[in-house]
Amino acid sequence: MLSWWAARAGASAGRALTELRLGRQRYYSLHLGILLTVLVLVFFGYGFLSQRSEELGDSEAVSRMVHAQPNVLTPSRKDVLVLTPWLAPIIWEGTFNIDILNEQFRLLNTTIGLTVFAIKKYVVFLKLFLETAEQHFMVGHKVIYYVFTDHPAEVPQVPLGAGRKLVVLTVRNYSRWQDVSMHRMEMISHFSEQRFLQEVDYLVCADVDMKFQDHVGVEILSALFGTLHPGFYRSSREAFTYERRPKSQAYIPWDEGDFYYMGAFFGGSVVEVHHLTKACHQAMVEDKANGIEAVWHDESHLNKYLLYHKPTKVLSPEYMWDQQLLGWPSIMKKLRYVAVPKNHQEIRNR
């Protein structure tokens, strides 16, 4: 009996030993399979991510940003105001690092639209405007030039850099230059809603009888920006040429006002520019119905809008200057966007 039990125990032990060996083999096989699976996933996953990074232009990649460390106790400029009371930066030379800003906007894959009106004889300024924009405006970024004109056949063929193109938008002209200026708001509003929203991230609205003389880049971009008028940046609000007649929708009382903004250079996100231009156009329509025209036309309405809808960034007069009239004061480290000498009466009346 005991020998039978011993034999059975021996047999059981043998089976147990065999099962143990088989279990270890299964264990090792399972882990080997898992290890191989992980290696395969890592290999192919890395390849997929690398390919995806290339497809995205490596926009997700973290690159080194080597630049001087900002010092909170050392202001960038001591001779000018660099921040408005509503905490919008005022852009002067020395207040920004363009390398940092270029990298940030590159990661966002930003496209900028530049609108310009070349109506009637103003088309003669277009070639210089576009040539200098190619040298100085948003260099290294995607740009679409939107040229509004009544002479599409006279739009010059200017060589454009990679990622930059020109779109001609044919519009009618008007007998008075004031009407051309005021209908600009209507056209920008209309095309913002119908086209620009689908094509660009920001809009910059500029006058054509100007030239880019130095860098104008992504440092200007914000939800809504205006440019300080070079003739009034030192003046008190009482000296501003706001519309002072209460009958006009552009009316601003004598005890109100922050700055006087130039109508020749403003912009922001497409949505905000649409809001601005639509509001200004509607105000001008209402003024016309009431038999009044604001003293400085669309610029008067622009100033009224920016008084009650504060810009998120303000450009210094570096971005709007007339060297022939104002010289080059030492406070201006750079003159970026400047007037082209011309006979206003001769151009406007043709």
Side-chain angles (χ1 to χ4, degrees):
M1 185 72 176
L2 191 59
S3 60
W4 174 82
W5 180 86
R8 184 176 178 181
S12 298
R15 285 195 300 273
L17 182 60
T18 301
E19 290 175 359
L20 178 61
R21 289 172 179 164
L22 289 173
R24 285 177 177 172
Q25 290 175 357
R26 293 192 197 100
Y27 174 81
Y28 291 136
S29 297
L30 177 62
H31 276 257
L32 181 60
I34 292 173
L35 179 60
L36 289 172
T37 301
V38 170
L39 289 173
V40 168
L41 288 173
V42 168
F43 177 79
F44 285 104
Y46 175 79
F48 170 77
L49 289 174
S50 298
Q51 181 182 1
R52 180 60 176 157
S53 295
E54 291 175 4
E55 291 173 356
L56 292 173
D58 204 27
S59 63
E60 303 284 337
V62 177
S63 59
R64 283 171 50 77
M65 286 295 295
V66 180
H67 54 81
Q69 179 185 352
N71 188 332
V72 297
L73 300 180
T74 304
S76 55
R77 292 280 296 262
K78 298 179 181 179
D79 54 341
V80 292
L81 184 68
V82 298
L83 196 68
T84 70
W86 58 93
L87 301 182
I90 304 176
I91 309 304
W92 301 84
E93 176 64 14
T95 63
F96 60 90
N97 184 316
I98 192 57
D99 295 326
I100 297 175
L101 292 170
N102 275 333
E103 178 66 12
Q104 298 305 301
F105 282 93
R106 184 190 71 81
L107 291 173
L108 295 172
N109 197 29
T110 304
T111 301
I112 303 100
L114 177 58
T115 69
V116 63
F117 283 71
I119 307 294
K120 301 169 73 172
K121 287 295 182 180
Y122 278 84
V123 75
V124 302
F125 297 106
L126 192 54
K127 186 173 187 293
L128 180 62
F129 177 90
L130 292 171
E131 287 175 343
T132 58
E134 279 298 288
Q135 296 171 18
H136 301 295
F137 181 76
M138 302 293 169
V139 175
H141 297 275
K142 293 186 293 184
V143 171
I144 301 178
Y145 298 105
Y146 294 109
V147 176
F148 292 81
T149 184
D150 59 334
H151 290 80
E154 296 182 31
V155 174
Q157 298 295 314
V158 174
L160 303 180
R164 302 163 80 93
K165 67 178 182 178
L166 186 147
V167 174
V168 177
L169 301 171
T170 303
V171 295
R172 60 163 292 189
N173 65 32
Y174 296 87
S175 58
R176 298 191 317 143
W177 69 266
Q178 295 94 333
D179 292 321
V180 172
S181 179
M182 289 191 290
H183 279 279
R184 179 177 62 157
M185 292 294 189
E186 179 185 12
M187 291 295 99
I188 295 173
S189 172
H190 171 76
F191 280 95
S192 291
E193 189 173 21
Q194 298 298 317
R195 180 168 188 164
F196 301 157
L197 275 169
Q198 289 75 46
E199 296 182 353
V200 298
D201 302 297
Y202 292 92
L203 276 178
V204 177
C205 306
D207 275 8
V208 71
D209 54 342
M210 307 283 292
K211 68 176 181 178
F212 293 91
Q213 185 169 284
D214 209 319
H215 164 89
V216 176
V218 294
E219 76 280 356
I220 74 173
L221 299 181
S222 187
L224 182 63
F225 72 82
T227 304
L228 298 181
H229 194 296
F232 295 103
Y233 71 100
R234 295 176 179 270
S235 303
S236 65
R237 60 166 62 123
E238 291 78 16
F240 294 164
T241 54
Y242 290 153
E243 174 54 66
R244 301 299 187 179
R245 293 169 295 175
K247 185 179 179 181
S248 172
Q249 294 299 306
Y251 167 67
I252 296 176
W254 290 93
D255 59 349
E256 293 185 30
D258 305 306
F259 307 111
Y260 191 89
Y261 300 99
M262 190 80 174
F265 203 64
F266 65 92
S269 69
V270 180
V271 170
E272 289 299 327
V273 171
H274 177 244
H275 290 162
L276 181 155
T277 53
K278 183 178 180 180
C280 289
H281 171 60
Q282 290 175 340
M284 285 185 279
V285 169
E286 190 165 344
D287 269 7
K288 186 174 182 179
N290 292 328
I292 191 169
E293 188 174 281
V295 59
W296 286 108
H297 323 295
D298 55 326
E299 185 173 89
S300 297
H301 292 278
L302 172 75
N303 273 275
K304 174 67 172 288
Y305 186 90
L306 292 179
L307 174 59
Y308 295 106
H309 306 81
K310 304 294 190 191
T312 53
K313 192 171 281 187
V314 175
L315 307 187
S316 72
E318 294 175 1
Y319 294 88
M320 176 54 57
W321 196 256
D322 189 328
Q323 192 171 354
Q324 189 176 34
L325 289 177
L326 302 168
W328 192 334
S330 59
I331 199 171
M332 300 296 168
K333 308 301 181 184
K334 290 189 175 183
L335 302 182
R336 304 175 186 274
Y337 186 53
V338 298
V340 175
K342 55 191 164 292
N343 183 323
H344 283 282
Q345 289 302 116
E346 181 181 351
I347 293 294
R348 287 173 174 173
N349 293 333
R350 288 190 177 185

